Amino acid sequence: MSDSAPIYDDKAHVRGNLDLTGAAWIRSDEGAEDEEEHVEIAFVEHTDGVTYTAMRNSAHPEGPVLVFTPAEWEAFILGVKDGEFDEPW
């Protein structure tokens, strides 16, 4: 028996089925040069009626895309605002 927590994949039905072809990618250009990489996000509605947040690297638009449920996106934004992802100085 394993001591690890069970894994709950609440996006199994979305994985590989989220249509990003018409996604309107948004990025912040604040303080960055045009040649630099940017994080881009898009809000994409799925056939299940849920709007997921997709995130990618602008330098690799055909590369991997992270997908967040609304609850995951809210938790991520709250973590950013709280400094959870700030680099230690």
Side-chain angles (χ1 to χ4, degrees):
M1 190 170 358
S2 173
D3 290 337
S4 64
I7 297 173
Y8 176 70
D9 186 359
D10 58 351
K11 294 182 294 248
H13 69 288
V14 176
R15 199 173 324 290
N17 296 315
L18 193 62
D19 184 8
L20 299 174
T21 56
W25 293 97
I26 306 164
R27 72 178 180 190
S28 171
D29 294 332
E30 185 176 325
E33 300 294 325
D34 286 338
E35 299 84 35
E36 291 185 20
E37 296 180 22
H38 300 270
V39 171
E40 296 179 320
I41 62 168
F43 301 102
V44 183
E45 189 170 342
H46 185 46
T47 57
D48 64 4
V50 175
T51 299
Y52 294 88
T53 303
M55 180 187 292
R56 71 179 185 185
N57 181 333
S58 67
H60 306 285
E62 301 302 322
V65 174
L66 299 175
V67 176
F68 298 87
T69 65
E72 290 170 335
W73 185 247
E74 181 179 358
F76 175 74
I77 294 300
L78 289 173
V80 169
K81 289 179 179 179
D82 194 35
E84 186 176 329
F85 306 107
D86 291 354
E87 293 194 35
W89 298 106

